[in-house]
Structures are given as structure tokens and as C-alpha cells.
Amino acid sequence: MRTFKSLFITVSLLSGLSSTFAADKLLSKVDLAAANTLRERALNDTTAGQLVESLTTEVGARPAGSTGDKAAIQWGLREMKRLGFSNVRTMEVTVPHWVRGEAECAVLAPWPVNIPTLALGGSVGTDSEGVEADAVMVKDIAALAALPAGAVKDKIVFFSNRMDRTQDGSGYGRAVAVRVQGPSAAAALGARAIVIRSVGTSPNRFPHTGSLRYLADIARIAAFAISNPDADALERQFASGKQVRMRLRSTARELPPEKSANVIGEVPGTDRANEIVILGAHLDSWDPGVGAIDDGAGVALVMGVAKLISELDTKPRRTIRVVLFANEEFGTSGSRTYTTAAQAESVRHVLGFEADFGAGPVWRLSSRVNPNQLPVVEQIFRATAPLKLARGANTATGGADLDGLARAGMAILSPDLDGTKYFDVHHTANDTLAQIDPGALQQAVAAYAVSAWLGAQYPGDWEPVTEVKPPRR
Ligand SMILES: [Zn+2]
């Protein structure tokens, strides 16, 4: 058994030698011509659009452990076989099985109103009476920590912070702490429940769900999200200076763990078949919508890319492996199982692509590669010129499902999907097929297809990335 760690050290020792030759190892004219063919075919290929339509119509919502989750696995196997992928299989994954149930949020005073709400993913429910208490508004966790002792004891805490709209998704990273850590942060100070302004940018009345993380040894309190316009209205109630009183109720609950699976298929490589170029997306989704942009589009994109590569006259040198990961949304179970299994495989994961940021278009090509491979990334970037991408830095973070492999040194190429409107829809009931622009999805397939193909053909070695990867949130 060859572990990542030993491999990592071995290749690191050799990297001084191989870098001497790196500049000579550029892509051939033949491979670049095939990339042009791929790009033009992708811009006219409707496979990805058909796949996301099929997944969202025939399966729909597929939260971990649900019947939809199981149906999605069968869908993935069926569609990979239909597309002619090789070695189509599942990898069993144990997943938590949380059930949303019903949720209610009401302001009782000063001015009564019922507010549409969603439990945060993983939240405990309340008892049948619900939680009724005076409410305290704070902006974020730092503001909560700055309150005087006892300020939120036996209270409901409302986190009012608003997420910024950004193209690269950085607004999400800055805002998401209240959702992930807010419940335990408030419970540690004696709060009975929390409500957050959704971590999302929808201007409409759509609450955004998403996972929370309870800390051990701290009481588990129920946690809810409300939409931006309702959060604005609730802020006006607080601004009156009158005491705000609320009632929250939820029937959310956790059932015993269930079996799920990663679904895997390949376009086998030729002379470097034992080197894997992995294309990842997640098969699960949250349940208010049908998971079209998160992450049906990503599933469709990576499958559409592999299908186009499989139809070229030339077979890829490295193996293109598509992995549809189980349960990204509530603990990345599929990724963790896959990463552990990969350490025991005789093949090596040398380059990764993840699609988990909507349905396109791609606006930038970023990377996280060993600096010795920057010349070939530049060549790949030039091959995407008609797609009018910006050139990103070599500091890509990659997605959640490939995080373990990337931290072990696997290179990442990141055709960055445009996130400007992504968080209008993310984790809401509005995540449906209607949010996908077929032309933008085809452009994204083209950007990924060119990059993945050329990554598979690179005549040099994709050397491990030795710079320590910061952990993802
Ligand atoms: Zn996602």
C-alpha cells in the first residue's frame, strides 16, 4: 500500500531534477487541435442540459439518506452507462439522515407577524409548544461575544448580518460563520434558539438553509433562517426600541445513519492510465428546491465533459474519472470516504477539477499547481481564449469534495464559475431548472473540457503541490 504521504516525499525529493526539464514539456499541436475541436463541440452540445433536466425532474431533491438520495445513485449509474463510461460503479458511504420537518417563526411583539422560515440543516427540533422568548439582535458572532454577561440567557438570538454579493463567492465565506457556528456560540451563552438572516443574496422571500455544526458539550438549540426581506422587517421591529418577542417551532429530527454512495465512472487513459484526472461534483442536494444549480449543474457538467472527451478520435493519456460525491452538504461524507480509499489505490490522483458553484458561465481560470507546471497552465489558458476568461492566480482553493486530495498535494485547475447570482438561489426553494441558462452551461462545459483534456495530455508530470493548503471552512 502506497500512502499519499510517502508518495509526496518521494516526488518532492525528485522535483528539483524534473523542474530542469519542465519548460520543454509543453502540449503538442495535435492535442491543442483536439482541444479546439472539444471547445467547439461543447458550445453546441446539449448533454449537460439534458442531464440536469433529467436529474431535477426524475429525481428531484436528494438530501443525504433520503429516498431521493437513493434514487439519485441509480440515476447516476444508469446515465454513466448510457453515456458509455467505463468501470461504472458505486463506493458505499455512510451518511447522516436528518429530516427537516416543519418550521414556524412568529413575531409576537411589538407587531405580530408570521415569517416563512427553514430550519438550518442538522438543527434539532423544538418541543411541540415551540420556544417562546424575548429576542436579542446582534450582527454576528463577534457582536454576540461582546455583549454583557447574561444578555442572551434564555433569549432567542437574531443574527442580522447581510452577505455581500461577489463574483468569486468570497461574500459567502465571510458571512457563513453565523450559520455554522452561531447555534453553539449562542447556546454557550444560555440562548434557547437562534434565527439568522439567511446566508444568501436573494432579494425575494426565500429563506436559505445550509448546515450548522454543533460543538460537543454545548446544549443543542434549534436554529432557523429567514429571508432577506423578512430580516429587514425584523430589524425594523428591533429599531422601534420596543421589546421583540418571538416564537419558534420545528419538527426537525435526526434518524439513524443510512447507506449512500459515491458514483464513479471513467474514460480510461492510455500510456499514463494509472494517473487520474478527477472531475468531481456532488450528487446530494438540500431539499427545499430540487438542487438544479447546487449541484445538479455540476453533476451534469462533469458528466458532459467526460462524454465529449470520450468521443474524441484520440483517447486521453491519463484516466478521466468522474466522481459524483455523496453528501457534500451535511458533512462531506462522500469526500472523506473517497479520500481514504484513494490512499489505498494503486493509481494516483494527479489533477482535480470540481464543479460546485452553479451553472456557469466560467469567467476565470485559476489554479493550484506546483510552480513547475505554470507554463502548461498558461498554455491551457491560451487554448480557452475564445471563451474570454480572465487569468486567475495560482491560489485556487478548489471545492469541498476535492479538499482532502488537494491537501495531500494533488494539483487543482479551477475554471471559476460566475457566482454573482449563485447565492440568490443557493439552498432555497427557488433552486430549480428555471435558474439555469443553457448557453452559460455549455460555455462552462467548454472551459472544463478544454482544461481537463489538456491536463490529461500534459507530457510532463503534474508534480505535487508542496505549499500547505489552508483548510476550508
Ligand atoms: Zn454544493
Side-chain angles (χ1 to χ4, degrees), residues 277-330:
V277 174
I278 182 171
L279 309 182
H282 67 85
L283 193 51
D284 67 308
S285 76
W286 282 115
D287 49 337
V290 294
I293 67 148
D294 186 14
D295 187 23
V299 164
L301 195 164
V302 294
M303 291 171 74
V305 166
K307 177 248 183 192
L308 284 163
I309 291 174
S310 75
E311 289 171 347
L312 287 173
D313 293 335
T314 313
K315 296 302 158 209
R317 299 185 64 189
R318 296 180 177 84
T319 295
I320 305 280
R321 181 184 287 179
V322 174
V323 181
L324 309 182
F325 287 96
N327 187 34
E328 186 273 343
E329 296 289 4
F330 190 35

Coordinates of all heavy atoms in Angstrom, one line a residue, residues 277-330:
V277 N -7.1 12.0 -13.6 CA -7.6 13.4 -13.6 C -9.0 13.3 -13.1 O -9.9 12.7 -13.8 CB -7.5 14.0 -15.0 CG1 -8.2 15.4 -15.0 CG2 -6.1 14.1 -15.5
I278 N -9.3 13.8 -12.0 CA -10.6 13.6 -11.3 C -11.5 14.8 -11.6 O -11.1 16.0 -11.5 CB -10.5 13.3 -9.8 CG1 -11.9 13.1 -9.2 CG2 -9.8 14.4 -9.1 CD1 -11.8 12.5 -7.8
L279 N -12.8 14.5 -12.0 CA -13.8 15.6 -12.2 C -14.9 15.3 -11.2 O -15.6 14.3 -11.3 CB -14.4 15.5 -13.6 CG -13.4 15.5 -14.8 CD1 -14.3 15.5 -16.1 CD2 -12.5 16.7 -14.8
G280 N -15.0 16.2 -10.2 CA -15.9 15.9 -9.1 C -17.1 16.9 -9.0 O -16.9 18.1 -9.4
A281 N -18.2 16.4 -8.6 CA -19.4 17.2 -8.3 C -20.2 16.4 -7.2 O -19.9 15.3 -7.0 CB -20.2 17.5 -9.5
H282 N -21.1 17.1 -6.6 CA -21.9 16.3 -5.6 C -23.3 16.0 -6.0 O -24.0 16.8 -6.5 CB -21.8 16.9 -4.2 CG -22.5 18.2 -4.0 ND1 -23.8 18.3 -3.6 CD2 -22.0 19.5 -4.0 CE1 -24.2 19.6 -3.5 NE2 -23.1 20.3 -3.7
L283 N -23.7 14.7 -5.7 CA -24.9 14.2 -6.1 C -26.1 14.6 -5.2 O -27.2 14.7 -5.6 CB -24.8 12.7 -6.3 CG -25.9 11.9 -7.0 CD1 -26.2 12.5 -8.4 CD2 -25.5 10.4 -7.2
D284 N -25.8 14.8 -3.9 CA -26.8 15.2 -3.0 C -27.2 16.6 -3.2 O -26.5 17.4 -3.8 CB -26.3 14.9 -1.5 CG -25.2 15.9 -1.2 OD1 -24.2 16.0 -1.9 OD2 -25.3 16.6 -0.1
S285 N -28.3 17.0 -2.5 CA -28.8 18.4 -2.6 C -29.5 18.7 -1.3 O -30.0 17.7 -0.6 CB -29.7 18.7 -3.8 OG -31.0 18.2 -3.5
W286 N -29.8 19.9 -1.0 CA -30.7 20.3 0.0 C -32.1 20.1 -0.6 O -32.3 19.8 -1.8 CB -30.5 21.7 0.5 CG -29.4 21.8 1.5 CD1 -28.2 22.4 1.3 CD2 -29.3 21.1 2.8 NE1 -27.4 22.2 2.4 CE2 -28.0 21.4 3.3 CE3 -30.1 20.3 3.5 CZ2 -27.6 20.9 4.6 CZ3 -29.7 19.8 4.7 CH2 -28.5 20.1 5.3
D287 N -33.1 20.1 0.3 CA -34.5 19.7 0.0 C -35.5 20.8 -0.3 O -36.6 20.4 -0.9 CB -35.0 18.8 1.1 CG -34.8 19.4 2.4 OD1 -33.9 20.2 2.6 OD2 -35.6 19.0 3.4
P288 N -35.3 22.0 0.0 CA -36.4 23.0 -0.3 C -36.6 23.1 -1.8 O -37.8 23.2 -2.3 CB -35.9 24.3 0.2 CG -34.9 24.0 1.3 CD -34.2 22.7 0.7
G289 N -35.6 23.1 -2.6 CA -35.7 23.1 -4.1 C -35.4 21.7 -4.6 O -35.6 20.7 -3.9
V290 N -34.9 21.6 -5.9 CA -34.6 20.3 -6.5 C -33.1 20.2 -6.8 O -32.7 19.4 -7.6 CB -35.5 20.0 -7.7 CG1 -36.9 19.8 -7.3 CG2 -35.4 21.1 -8.8
G291 N -32.3 21.1 -6.3 CA -30.8 21.0 -6.5 C -30.4 21.1 -7.9 O -29.6 20.3 -8.4
A292 N -30.9 22.2 -8.6 CA -30.6 22.3 -10.0 C -29.2 23.0 -10.1 O -28.3 22.5 -10.7 CB -31.6 23.2 -10.7
I293 N -29.0 24.2 -9.5 CA -27.7 24.8 -9.5 C -26.7 24.2 -8.5 O -25.5 24.3 -8.6 CB -27.8 26.4 -9.4 CG1 -28.3 26.7 -7.9 CG2 -28.7 27.0 -10.4 CD1 -27.7 28.0 -7.5
D294 N -27.3 23.6 -7.4 CA -26.5 23.1 -6.4 C -26.9 21.7 -6.0 O -27.8 21.5 -5.2 CB -26.5 24.0 -5.1 CG -25.6 23.5 -4.0 OD1 -24.7 22.7 -4.3 OD2 -25.7 24.0 -2.9
D295 N -26.4 20.6 -6.7 CA -25.3 20.8 -7.6 C -25.6 19.9 -8.9 O -24.7 19.3 -9.4 CB -24.0 20.3 -6.9 CG -22.7 20.5 -7.8 OD1 -22.8 21.4 -8.6 OD2 -21.8 19.8 -7.6
G296 N -26.9 19.9 -9.2 CA -27.3 19.2 -10.5 C -26.5 19.7 -11.6 O -26.0 18.9 -12.5
A297 N -26.2 21.0 -11.7 CA -25.5 21.6 -12.8 C -24.1 21.0 -12.8 O -23.5 20.7 -13.9 CB -25.5 23.1 -12.7
G298 N -23.4 20.9 -11.6 CA -22.1 20.4 -11.6 C -22.0 19.0 -12.0 O -21.1 18.6 -12.7
V299 N -23.0 18.2 -11.5 CA -23.1 16.8 -11.9 C -23.1 16.7 -13.4 O -22.4 15.9 -14.1 CB -24.3 16.1 -11.3 CG1 -24.6 14.8 -11.9 CG2 -24.0 16.0 -9.7
A300 N -24.0 17.5 -14.0 CA -24.2 17.4 -15.5 C -23.0 17.9 -16.2 O -22.6 17.3 -17.2 CB -25.4 18.3 -15.8
L301 N -22.3 18.9 -15.6 CA -21.2 19.5 -16.3 C -20.0 18.5 -16.4 O -19.5 18.2 -17.4 CB -20.7 20.7 -15.5 CG -19.8 21.7 -16.0 CD1 -19.8 23.0 -15.2 CD2 -18.4 21.2 -16.1
V302 N -19.7 17.8 -15.2 CA -18.6 16.9 -15.3 C -18.9 15.7 -16.1 O -18.0 15.1 -16.8 CB -18.1 16.5 -13.9 CG1 -17.5 17.7 -13.1 CG2 -19.2 15.8 -13.0
M303 N -20.2 15.2 -16.1 CA -20.5 14.1 -17.0 C -20.5 14.5 -18.5 O -20.0 13.7 -19.3 CB -21.9 13.6 -16.6 CG -21.9 12.9 -15.2 SD -23.6 12.5 -14.7 CE -24.0 11.1 -15.7
G304 N -20.9 15.7 -18.8 CA -20.9 16.2 -20.1 C -19.5 16.4 -20.7 O -19.2 16.1 -21.8
V305 N -18.6 16.8 -19.8 CA -17.2 16.9 -20.2 C -16.6 15.6 -20.5 O -15.9 15.4 -21.6 CB -16.4 17.6 -19.0 CG1 -14.9 17.5 -19.3 CG2 -16.8 19.1 -18.9
A306 N -16.8 14.6 -19.6 CA -16.2 13.3 -19.9 C -16.8 12.6 -21.1 O -16.1 12.0 -21.9 CB -16.4 12.4 -18.7
K307 N -18.1 12.8 -21.4 CA -18.7 12.3 -22.6 C -18.0 12.9 -23.8 O -17.7 12.2 -24.8 CB -20.2 12.6 -22.5 CG -21.0 12.1 -23.8 CD -21.5 13.4 -24.5 CE -22.3 13.0 -25.7 NZ -22.5 14.2 -26.5
L308 N -17.8 14.2 -23.8 CA -17.2 14.9 -25.0 C -15.7 14.4 -25.2 O -15.3 14.1 -26.4 CB -17.2 16.4 -24.8 CG -18.5 17.0 -25.1 CD1 -18.5 18.5 -24.5 CD2 -18.9 17.1 -26.6
I309 N -15.0 14.2 -24.1 CA -13.6 13.7 -24.3 C -13.6 12.3 -24.8 O -12.8 11.9 -25.6 CB -12.9 13.8 -22.9 CG1 -12.6 15.3 -22.6 CG2 -11.6 13.0 -22.9 CD1 -12.0 15.5 -21.2
S310 N -14.6 11.5 -24.3 CA -14.7 10.1 -24.8 C -15.0 10.0 -26.3 O -14.7 8.9 -26.9 CB -15.7 9.3 -24.0 OG -17.1 9.6 -24.4
E311 N -15.6 11.0 -26.9 CA -15.9 11.0 -28.3 C -14.8 11.5 -29.2 O -15.0 11.5 -30.4 CB -17.2 11.8 -28.5 CG -18.4 11.1 -27.9 CD -19.7 12.0 -27.9 OE1 -19.5 13.3 -28.2 OE2 -20.8 11.5 -27.7
L312 N -13.7 11.9 -28.6 CA -12.6 12.4 -29.5 C -12.0 11.1 -30.2 O -12.1 10.0 -29.7 CB -11.5 13.0 -28.6 CG -11.8 14.5 -28.1 CD1 -10.7 14.9 -27.2 CD2 -12.0 15.4 -29.3
D313 N -11.3 11.4 -31.3 CA -10.7 10.3 -32.0 C -9.5 9.7 -31.2 O -9.2 8.5 -31.2 CB -10.1 10.7 -33.4 CG -11.3 11.1 -34.3 OD1 -12.4 10.5 -34.1 OD2 -11.1 11.9 -35.2
T314 N -8.8 10.6 -30.5 CA -7.7 10.2 -29.6 C -8.2 9.9 -28.2 O -8.9 10.7 -27.7 CB -6.6 11.4 -29.6 OG1 -6.4 11.8 -30.9 CG2 -5.3 10.9 -29.0
K315 N -7.7 8.9 -27.6 CA -8.1 8.6 -26.2 C -7.1 9.4 -25.3 O -6.0 9.6 -25.7 CB -7.9 7.1 -26.0 CG -8.9 6.2 -26.8 CD -10.3 6.6 -26.5 CE -11.3 6.2 -27.6 NZ -12.4 7.1 -27.8
P316 N -7.6 9.8 -24.2 CA -6.7 10.5 -23.3 C -5.6 9.7 -22.7 O -5.7 8.5 -22.6 CB -7.7 10.9 -22.1 CG -8.8 9.9 -22.1 CD -8.9 9.5 -23.6
R317 N -4.4 10.4 -22.5 CA -3.3 9.6 -21.9 C -3.6 9.2 -20.5 O -3.3 8.1 -20.1 CB -2.0 10.5 -22.0 CG -1.7 10.9 -23.4 CD -0.3 11.7 -23.4 NE 0.7 10.8 -23.0 CZ 2.0 11.3 -22.7 NH1 2.3 12.5 -22.9 NH2 2.9 10.4 -22.3
R318 N -4.0 10.2 -19.7 CA -4.4 9.9 -18.3 C -5.9 9.5 -18.2 O -6.6 9.9 -19.1 CB -4.1 11.1 -17.4 CG -2.6 11.4 -17.3 CD -2.4 12.6 -16.4 NE -1.0 12.9 -16.2 CZ -0.2 13.7 -17.1 NH1 -0.8 14.2 -18.2 NH2 1.0 13.9 -16.9
T319 N -6.2 8.8 -17.2 CA -7.6 8.4 -17.0 C -8.5 9.6 -16.5 O -8.1 10.2 -15.5 CB -7.7 7.2 -16.0 OG1 -7.0 6.1 -16.6 CG2 -9.1 6.9 -15.7
I320 N -9.6 9.8 -17.2 CA -10.5 10.8 -16.7 C -11.5 10.1 -15.8 O -12.2 9.2 -16.3 CB -11.3 11.5 -17.9 CG1 -10.3 12.1 -18.9 CG2 -12.3 12.5 -17.4 CD1 -9.7 13.4 -18.6
R321 N -11.6 10.5 -14.6 CA -12.5 9.8 -13.6 C -13.5 10.8 -13.1 O -13.2 11.8 -12.5 CB -11.8 9.2 -12.5 CG -12.7 8.5 -11.5 CD -12.0 7.9 -10.3 NE -11.2 6.8 -10.6 CZ -10.5 6.1 -9.6 NH1 -10.5 6.6 -8.4 NH2 -9.8 5.1 -10.0
V322 N -14.8 10.5 -13.4 CA -15.9 11.3 -12.9 C -16.4 10.7 -11.6 O -16.7 9.5 -11.5 CB -17.1 11.3 -13.9 CG1 -18.3 12.1 -13.3 CG2 -16.7 12.0 -15.2
V323 N -16.4 11.6 -10.5 CA -16.9 11.1 -9.2 C -18.1 12.0 -8.8 O -17.9 13.2 -8.7 CB -15.8 11.1 -8.1 CG1 -16.4 10.6 -6.8 CG2 -14.6 10.3 -8.6
L324 N -19.3 11.4 -8.6 CA -20.4 12.1 -8.1 C -20.5 11.8 -6.6 O -20.8 10.7 -6.2 CB -21.7 11.7 -8.8 CG -21.7 11.7 -10.3 CD1 -23.0 11.3 -10.9 CD2 -21.2 13.1 -10.8
F325 N -20.1 12.8 -5.8 CA -19.9 12.5 -4.3 C -21.2 12.5 -3.6 O -22.1 13.3 -3.8 CB -19.0 13.6 -3.7 CG -17.6 13.5 -4.1 CD1 -17.1 14.3 -5.2 CD2 -16.7 12.7 -3.5 CE1 -15.8 14.2 -5.6 CE2 -15.4 12.6 -3.8 CZ -14.9 13.3 -4.9
A326 N -21.3 11.6 -2.6 CA -22.4 11.6 -1.6 C -22.3 12.7 -0.6 O -21.2 13.0 -0.2 CB -22.4 10.2 -0.9
N327 N -23.4 13.2 -0.2 CA -23.5 14.0 1.0 C -22.4 15.1 1.1 O -21.6 15.0 2.1 CB -23.6 13.2 2.3 CG -23.9 14.2 3.5 OD1 -24.5 15.2 3.3 ND2 -23.3 13.9 4.6
E328 N -22.3 16.0 0.2 CA -21.4 17.1 0.4 C -22.0 18.1 1.4 O -21.3 18.7 2.2 CB -21.2 17.9 -0.9 CG -20.2 19.0 -0.9 CD -20.8 20.3 -0.5 OE1 -22.0 20.5 -0.5 OE2 -20.0 21.2 -0.1
E329 N -23.3 18.2 1.4 CA -24.0 19.3 2.1 C -24.0 19.2 3.6 O -24.0 20.2 4.3 CB -25.5 19.5 1.6 CG -25.6 19.8 0.1 CD -25.2 21.3 -0.1 OE1 -24.7 22.0 0.8 OE2 -25.4 21.7 -1.3
F330 N -24.0 18.0 4.1 CA -24.1 17.8 5.5 C -23.0 17.0 6.1 O -23.2 16.0 6.7 CB -25.5 17.2 5.9 CG -25.8 17.2 7.3 CD1 -25.4 18.3 8.2 CD2 -26.6 16.2 7.9 CE1 -25.7 18.3 9.5 CE2 -26.9 16.2 9.3 CZ -26.5 17.2 10.1

